Amino acid sequence: MIANAQNLANSAVSTISFFQKLPNSYRHLVLEQLRDLGGSRFFVSLNKKMIDINPINDSDLKQQVLGDMKNIVQKKLGEHRALYLEFSSPDDLHVINNNILLKDLPPSWGAYSLMIPSVSPPILVLQMELGENEWLYLAAVLPPPYLLDDPSPISTQQFVSITVTTFILLMFIYLIFYWQTQPLKNLASAVGEFSIDFTKPPLVEQGATEIVAATRAFNHMQQKLQSYIKDREEVFRSISHDLKTPITRLRLRAELLEDEKQTDAFNVDLEDLRNAG
């Protein structure tokens, strides 16, 4: 709003300077030509006296806008001329004189630029004294936000839109995060259970590139260890099978010994050997 007001003030300075440089006899001719061409950014009129304006309610934003615009105009045009700035509602805005309202003007006068059917935005009125009994009247709709009462920083519609968008975005982030971390969680669980159960199937290689690489390395290590364990079991089974016949023969010979203590000692050693096999 402040930036729009400053831009409008600079435009007003240009318009005032233009009319100031025109000879008095040409000012009304130029004004008629502007109206014939559809007007300009401002609704412009030349009046014999300052017109009374019914102001809208005061607010901090309104006072700041008017103060900034007044400073810009007076800085560029000087403070020697009378200057009046105010906001008015379009329904009771006086133009030309104190008896004519904006809505009473014909469209050919360019008043349509101040009339917006869907809303009733406040209209900024600038009046400056160009000479004796000659006041330049400029009126323009200040761009949105239209209402100068302290506005809410965010409307209900914007709040709902932001909330829905944020919820969808958070759900999307959660799904991406879950898709990326679930394989890592599965890998961590498999590593923790690997020392207990060596027979688990390989993990599915999915997720980010780094997680896929770690999963592939784990599967490769698990496959090698399972192969080593299988080979070890086959070796022990072979050794156990090879030892069964000699152990049986030694047990029979131990039974033929006359010394029972030696027989018992041999049987204990043979049982240990059999269990180890």
Side-chain angles (χ1 to χ4, degrees), residues 8-9 11-13 15 39-44 110 113-114 124 137-140:
L8 191 64
S11 298
V13 168
T15 303
S40 63
R41 184 175 185 179
F42 297 96
F43 171 80
V44 186
S113 62
L114 303 179
L124 175 68
Y137 180 102
L138 302 178

Side-chain angles (χ1 to χ4, degrees), residues 131-162:
E132 186 178 357
N133 296 327
E134 191 169 22
W135 286 77
L136 180 64
Y137 180 102
L138 302 178
V141 176
L142 200 60
Y146 292 112
L147 300 178
L148 291 177
D149 295 330
D150 293 325
S152 173
I154 183 172
S155 65
T156 303
Q157 183 178 1
Q158 289 175 324
F159 177 78
V160 173
S161 176
I162 292 174

Side-chain angles (χ1 to χ4, degrees), residues 180-191:
Q180 290 292 339
T181 58
Q182 188 61 32
L184 185 61
K185 182 179 178 181
N186 295 338
L187 178 60
S189 177
V191 171

Side-chain angles (χ1 to χ4, degrees), residues 24-76:
N24 292 343
S25 58
Y26 285 94
R27 290 176 180 175
H28 286 280
L29 294 176
V30 172
L31 187 59
E32 290 179 2
Q33 289 178 352
L34 282 176
R35 290 171 180 170
D36 292 339
L37 293 174
S40 63
R41 184 175 185 179
F42 297 96
F43 171 80
V44 186
S45 67
L46 289 169
N47 308 315
K48 293 183 179 180
K49 62 180 181 178
M50 188 179 75
I51 297 176
D52 296 332
I53 301 297
N54 298 322
I56 63 174
N57 296 330
D58 282 335
S59 68
D60 293 338
L61 182 57
K62 170 188 169 182
Q63 294 303 324
Q64 185 177 359
V65 168
L66 293 178
D68 287 355
M69 294 191 67
K70 186 174 183 179
N71 290 336
I72 292 174
V73 174
Q74 289 182 337
K75 181 179 179 180
K76 295 188 176 183

Side-chain angles (χ1 to χ4, degrees), residues 12-23 27 30-31 34:
V13 168
S14 299
T15 303
I16 294 171
S17 299
F18 173 74
F19 274 92
Q20 280 182 330
K21 294 176 181 178
L22 286 175
R27 290 176 180 175
V30 172
L31 187 59
L34 282 176

